[in-house]
Amino acid sequence: LTKSVGILGYVYVLGICGALFLFGSKLHLKVTLKMIFVIICGFIVSLFLFFPAMLQKPVWVLEQIFTETERVGVRDGHGQIIMGEYTRDGGPAYYPLVLLMKTSPFLLFGILLWLLVAAKQKKNVFASLFNGNSKSELFFIYLSLFYLGYILVMIFPSKKIDRYMLPVFPYLAVVSVYGFYGALYYFKNAKEAFLVVVGFLFALCVVLPLVTLFPYYFTYTSPVFGSANNANKLLAQKSFGIG
């Protein structure tokens, strides 16, 4: 994560610790304080490791991080070509378009399965935020809240670059795995056929691009757009280190 957003990550973790203590029933004050102490110490140590200038001018360095973020990220923006026109602000639809363009149909299929399984179970996983019965539910909620916040924070500044969505893909993979795993239960009478379909999609959407795009994986675009040229007409990609 970038510097300013990375700092917000620590704020999120501390907020979760505080919320679990205030509204949960499984954390004692001593445990909570220990967690917060370890997180704050880790933050301070890593901050000085990554920014040695903090040893001489800690206040100045932190001020520069946020003022430059505001100048470059909010006021100045970043040059983009969208729908064939140049702009310095991609707008709120920029990152959803990037995610659609860069997410493989295989991953999207797993996410769709998760939505269908969740709807069939009529289960609100977020209702168990503070009294969840399983660690997997709490883990999923914890990630969901973080990545929702991350996307919202990244949408707000005018500076938008497609690679800033890279941290979101591990989360999408987790959601997709939940979908495939949950669908196995509903397709248990046709398990072999379901696995054949999944295997075919995996070969077509994951293995084939790995072979054909090697080693320039950053040029990948979803086949939903037909071709990379078609995708580029909607949103000119910045294939860093390739051009």
Side-chain angles (χ1 to χ4, degrees):
L1 300 179
T2 55
K3 299 180 289 297
S4 50
V5 178
I7 290 175
L8 293 177
Y10 282 99
V11 175
Y12 170 74
V13 174
L14 292 174
I16 288 293
C17 289
L20 286 174
F21 171 70
L22 291 174
F23 303 106
S25 58
K26 297 180 181 180
L27 286 183
H28 298 290
L29 179 62
K30 185 177 180 181
V31 176
T32 306
L33 291 176
K34 182 180 178 181
M35 289 166 59
I36 293 174
F37 176 75
V38 170
I39 292 165
I40 291 176
C41 287
F43 170 69
I44 294 172
V45 170
S46 61
L47 197 61
F48 279 90
L49 284 175
F50 286 116
F51 305 104
M54 288 279 294
L55 294 169
Q56 288 195 350
K57 298 180 179 181
V59 176
W60 180 83
V61 170
L62 290 175
E63 182 185 353
Q64 287 297 303
I65 287 175
F66 285 101
T67 54
E68 285 299 294
T69 296
E70 191 275 333
R71 180 184 68 82
V72 176
V74 179
R75 281 186 285 137
D76 291 354
H78 187 81
Q80 302 283 353
I81 299 177
I82 301 176
M83 303 295 183
E85 295 186 2
Y86 178 82
T87 180
R88 294 197 68 83
D89 185 351
Y94 178 83
Y95 284 129
L97 183 59
V98 166
L99 288 173
L100 182 62
M101 186 180 295
K102 292 293 187 179
T103 305
S104 76
F106 180 76
L107 199 59
L108 286 175
F109 182 56
I111 295 171
L112 177 62
L113 287 176
W114 177 79
L115 291 172
L116 293 174
V117 169
K120 194 171 182 63
Q121 291 179 340
K122 297 180 181 179
K123 187 177 182 182
N124 182 7
V125 292
F126 290 97
S128 61
L129 177 56
F130 299 112
N131 57 356
N133 296 320
S134 69
K135 289 183 179 180
S136 63
E137 279 188 354
L138 291 176
F139 172 70
F140 180 73
I141 294 167
Y142 177 82
L143 286 182
S144 299
L145 291 175
F146 173 79
Y147 280 105
L148 177 63
Y150 175 76
I151 292 173
L152 291 176
V153 167
M154 297 309 286
I155 283 176
F156 172 71
S158 57
K159 181 183 179 182
K160 293 178 174 66
I161 302 179
D162 50 5
R163 72 174 185 268
Y164 285 177
M165 285 295 102
L166 283 172
V168 178
F169 280 89
Y171 170 71
L172 295 180
V174 170
V175 177
S176 188
V177 168
Y178 271 101
F180 286 120
Y181 183 77
L184 272 175
Y185 173 79
Y186 290 100
F187 289 102
K188 56 186 176 183
N189 294 328
K191 185 177 179 181
E192 291 76 13
F194 175 72
L195 290 176
V196 168
V197 172
V198 171
F200 174 76
L201 279 175
F202 182 80
L204 185 66
C205 302
V206 179
V207 177
L208 185 61
L210 284 175
V211 175
T212 55
L213 295 177
F214 175 84
Y216 306 115
Y217 299 128
F218 203 55
T219 62
Y220 174 84
T221 55
S222 172
V224 171
F225 290 85
S227 68
N229 286 334
N230 290 339
N232 214 53
K233 291 175 183 177
L234 293 175
L235 176 62
Q237 300 172 77
K238 297 179 179 295
S239 302
F240 297 91
I242 296 173

